[in-house]
């Protein structure tokens, strides 16, 4: 049963870059899409973007100018960088495996436990 | 972007009674080439990540109790819990995967009356 675990700083200063890593265990990183999704405190879910194991990426247009997602298949890890953060980027950040149908990203399963990142000076 | 609108925002249901959650998409998520609705449902319990319940609008994920069912097509969808149990207290989200950006509904909180 594949498991995902997010890691990274829980506090980031405004205007700096948020960096998180997701480690995949007990499963292959190949074939699937690997996604980042965030949830501001008390609010709903927002898809940030995804990366295919081959390295191709898709980003939410609302964040595209500030987001970079990368993958290291040898370490079974994928990473998120979000630049120029503000308080509005404070959220629980989840990594998740994206299932595919006809080569397209469909639903997410499983999800990591999530990590709270607070943007504050 | 496809906007997903859920209703109600919250509902309180007695144990053993039916809970019904609605999800409406701003455009159809029915893919004509395969006649499938590109919609999933998730359950999020307090302090936990979302858990996949249903995909293709009505297919239960393995291990999900059969009291959970999904229905609907096109732009209007429903998640039903036929006999609410205490462990079903959670926030439920719909998600469309018809097109990027993938988008979620705002969530519906289910509580015990």
């Amino acid at each position: 049963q594949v498991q995902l675990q997010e890691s990274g700083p829980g506090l980031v200063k405004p205007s700096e870059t948020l960096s998180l890593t997701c480690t995949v265990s007990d499963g292959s990183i190949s074939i699937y899409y690997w996604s980042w999704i965030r949830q501001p405190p008390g609010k709903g879910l927002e898809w940030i973007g995804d990366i295919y194991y081959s390295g191709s990426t898709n980003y939410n247009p609302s964040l595209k100018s500030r987001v970079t997602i990368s993958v290291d298949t040898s370490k079974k890890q994928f990473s998120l960088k979000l630049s120029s953060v503000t308080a509005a980027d404070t959220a629980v950040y989840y990594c998740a495996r994206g299932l595919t149908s006809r080569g397209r990203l469909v639903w997410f399963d499983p999800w990591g436990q999530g990590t709270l990142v607070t943007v504050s000076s | 972007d496809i906007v997903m609108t859920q209703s109600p925002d919250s509902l309180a249901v007695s144990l053993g009674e039916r809970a019904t959650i609605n999800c409406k998409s701003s455009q159809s998520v029915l893919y004509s080439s395969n006649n499938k609705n590109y919609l999933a449902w998730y359950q999020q319990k307090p302090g936990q990540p979302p858990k996949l319940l249903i995909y293709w609008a009505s297919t239960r994920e393995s291990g999900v109790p059969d009291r959970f069912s999904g229905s609907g097509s096109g732009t209007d969808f429903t998640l039903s819990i036929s006999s609410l149990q205490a462990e079903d207290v959670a926030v439920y989200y719909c998600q469309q995967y018809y097109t990027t950006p993938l988008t979620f509904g705002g969530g519906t909180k289910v509580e015990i009356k």
Side-chain angles (χ1 to χ4, degrees):
Chain A
Q1 182 86 345
V2 65
Q3 297 183 16
L4 292 82
Q5 180 65 58
E6 305 88 352
S7 59
L11 181 64
V12 181
K13 289 182 169 55
S15 79
E16 295 190 344
T17 296
L18 177 161
S19 296
L20 295 174
T21 295
C22 182
T23 301
V24 180
S25 59
D26 299 327
S28 174
I29 201 167
S30 298
I31 302 176
Y32 299 101
Y33 284 91
W34 301 95
S35 296
W36 289 97
I37 298 157
R38 69 180 183 178
Q39 185 172 36
K43 296 188 178 181
L45 299 159
E46 179 180 35
W47 172 73
I48 299 170
D50 64 77
I51 189 164
Y52 198 47
Y53 75 101
S54 61
S56 63
T57 55
N58 291 289
Y59 300 135
N60 191 322
S62 68
L63 297 167
K64 187 173 183 177
S65 64
R66 298 194 290 131
V67 173
T68 302
I69 298 176
S70 58
V71 65
D72 186 336
T73 54
S74 66
K75 294 183 178 179
K76 295 177 68 175
Q77 293 178 333
F78 62 105
S79 299
L80 168 70
K81 291 188 185 300
L82 181 65
S83 64
S84 305
V85 297
T86 69
D89 294 310
T90 294
V92 174
Y93 285 77
Y94 295 101
C95 60
R97 183 179 66 176
L99 282 296
T100 63
S101 176
R102 297 186 177 187
R104 295 173 55 172
L105 173 63
V106 286
W107 54 83
F108 305 103
D109 179 62
W111 298 52
Q113 282 298 309
T115 187
L116 174 63
V117 179
T118 302
V119 178
S120 176
S121 56
Chain B
D1 298 7
I2 296 179
V3 178
M4 308 299 290
T5 303
Q6 289 185 230
S7 63
D9 291 337
S10 64
L11 73 161
V13 176
S14 300
L15 289 172
E17 296 299 306
R18 173 178 291 270
T20 300
I21 300 166
N22 301 302
C23 175
K24 188 176 184 66
S25 57
S26 61
Q27 66 184 76
S28 176
V29 297
L30 174 63
Y31 198 44
S32 56
S33 68
N34 59 8
N35 201 37
K36 288 187 174 184
N37 288 284
Y38 279 49
L39 184 111
W41 287 98
Y42 299 85
Q43 174 193 62
Q44 186 176 31
K45 296 182 179 181
Q48 295 186 20
K51 171 191 170 185
L52 177 69
L53 292 178
I54 286 171
Y55 51 91
W56 300 129
S58 61
T59 302
R60 263 191 310 277
E61 170 70 335
S62 176
V64 173
D66 60 7
R67 63 180 180 273
F68 291 91
S69 63
S71 63
S73 185
T75 61
D76 292 281
F77 300 90
T78 299
L79 175 68
S80 296
I81 309 172
S82 61
S83 176
L84 191 73
Q85 305 298 304
E87 61 265 31
D88 301 333
V89 168
V91 179
Y92 294 84
Y93 294 94
C94 58
Q95 176 231 325
Q96 66 81 20
Y97 45 93
Y98 183 86
T99 188
T100 55
L102 282 66
T103 49
F104 295 84
T108 295
K109 186 175 185 179
V110 175
E111 300 172 306
I112 304 296
K113 185 187 292 183

